[in-house]
Amino acid sequence: MREEILLTDCPQILQDRVEQMLQNLPGDIISVQKWETTPFKDKLIVMTDYRVFIQYGFEVAIYKTYLTTGGSPLDGEVHFTSINTAEMLIIATKAKWIGEELRSVLTPPDER
C-alpha cells in the first residue's frame, strides 16, 4: 500500500539526510511516500519503506529508509539512487513491461 505523506512523517534520519542534501544542492521535493508491504506468507512482518523523490535539474534523486516490525539489517540506513532524463528515456522506450506501462500513462486518452 502506497501513501503520500509529508517529509515530517518520515524517520528523523531520512529527514536529516534530505535536508542536508537540499542545503548542498537545491532541488524540489516532488513526492514523499510511505509504502507498507508484508513480504512473507504469514503477513506477520510489515516492512515500511519511506521514499523521498527530489528533482534537481535533469536528475531525480530517490532517498529511502526502512522500518520493519521485529527489526531488520536494513532498518535505519538511508539508501540513495538517482536517475537522469536519458536513463528515463531508455526505460520508457526499451523496457518491455515497464516501458509499456509508462507509455500508456503518458499517452493522452484520446490517442490510445
Side-chain angles (χ1 to χ4, degrees), residues 3-63:
E3 173 184 358
E4 288 285 329
I5 61 173
L6 300 173
L7 182 60
T8 54
D9 296 327
C10 294
Q12 190 63 48
I13 190 166
L14 184 57
Q15 292 179 50
D16 293 345
R17 180 67 79 75
V18 167
E19 289 171 11
Q20 178 186 22
M21 184 272 196
L22 289 173
Q23 287 175 359
N24 295 326
L25 186 62
D28 296 313
I29 295 176
I30 58 175
S31 183
V32 180
Q33 301 174 358
K34 175 181 170 183
W35 291 72
E36 287 187 346
T37 57
T38 51
F40 301 105
K41 284 185 179 183
D42 61 13
K43 303 206 184 287
L44 294 175
I45 295 176
V46 177
M47 185 174 197
T48 306
D49 175 353
Y50 296 89
R51 302 176 191 184
V52 180
F53 296 79
I54 303 169
Q55 180 180 355
Y56 54 98
F58 291 100
E59 296 271 332
V60 174
I62 306 164
Y63 287 84

Side-chain angles (χ1 to χ4, degrees), residues 58-74:
F58 291 100
E59 296 271 332
V60 174
I62 306 164
Y63 287 84
K64 293 184 188 185
T65 194
Y66 303 92
L67 291 177
T68 308
T69 53
S72 164
L74 294 176

Side-chain angles (χ1 to χ4, degrees), residues 92 97-112:
W97 303 285
I98 298 169
E100 290 167 7
E101 184 71 21
L102 183 56
R103 286 187 296 277
S104 74
V105 169
L106 296 175
T107 303
D110 58 332
E111 293 181 21
R112 290 184 195 156

